[in-house]
Amino acid sequence: MGTKSRDRLYGSDVRMAAERAARARKEADRLACDAWTKRMLAFRGPAQPSPTLGDALNAGYHYLEVRCLGCDTNQTVALDIVRRPKTTPIHELERYMRCKDCSRLRGYPYKRSELVALRETKISAEHPVSIWWPGER
């Protein structure tokens, strides 16, 4: 007669605890991203502290909305293709954003932009740009 293995005794408890931890982490990341987005839309910042790339992707926010200060256009940037470590805070991406139209017009990389919000979808007719506060546009 053998004894029961540890996996059989504790395996389901360990797996259930890991699943609960993953759900709690995802909910915490979602709340942090929601708070940052609301702060950015309501007060136009401050952008720091911000969630990390990994937190935003874990929460389901796959796009970052950026506004060009030169031509006043809003664009979305896919966060899953950004070539930075997942521990990089979102606010550090601001200095790397540049507008393609303004850069072509000026003849050099135009890097004046500001972060608007984290988004789950791209900007489209069904999902318009985020509004800073009522009465601005």
Side-chain angles (χ1 to χ4, degrees):
M1 288 197 85
T3 60
K4 295 182 180 177
S5 68
R6 289 186 186 268
D7 185 44
R8 186 167 176 180
L9 290 173
Y10 304 112
S12 62
D13 290 338
V14 170
R15 283 188 291 276
M16 287 175 46
E19 289 174 13
R20 282 196 308 269
R23 281 195 305 269
R25 232 181 343 265
K26 188 170 187 171
E27 182 63 23
D29 291 343
R30 182 173 261 316
L31 291 174
C33 291
D34 284 342
W36 186 80
T37 298
K38 288 179 181 175
R39 184 173 66 234
M40 292 300 292
L41 291 175
F43 305 120
R44 285 193 174 183
Q48 305 176 38
S50 64
T52 63
L53 279 171
D55 294 346
L57 291 172
N58 186 33
Y61 291 99
H62 297 285
Y63 297 98
L64 174 65
E65 185 175 346
V66 181
R67 182 171 157 252
C68 175
L69 297 173
C71 58
D72 197 37
T73 58
N74 288 32
Q75 300 170 355
T76 51
V77 177
L79 292 178
D80 55 351
I81 63 169
V82 173
R83 295 171 57 183
R84 296 272 177 251
K86 299 298 181 205
T87 57
T88 304
I90 297 289
H91 72 269
E92 288 187 8
L93 299 177
E94 186 173 27
R95 67 178 137 182
Y96 301 111
M97 303 294 162
R98 56 181 166 241
C99 181
K100 190 181 290 186
D101 296 334
C102 290
S103 298
R104 190 177 306 121
L105 181 69
R106 287 177 170 78
Y108 60 90
Y110 187 73
K111 293 186 180 180
R112 298 270 326 262
S113 64
E114 60 186 349
L115 305 177
V116 178
L118 288 169
R119 299 175 59 100
E120 295 177 357
T121 59
K122 286 179 140 181
I123 294 175
S124 65
E126 296 173 359
H127 306 286
V129 298
S130 302
I131 297 177
W132 290 99
W133 50 72
E136 183 182 351
R137 292 188 185 159

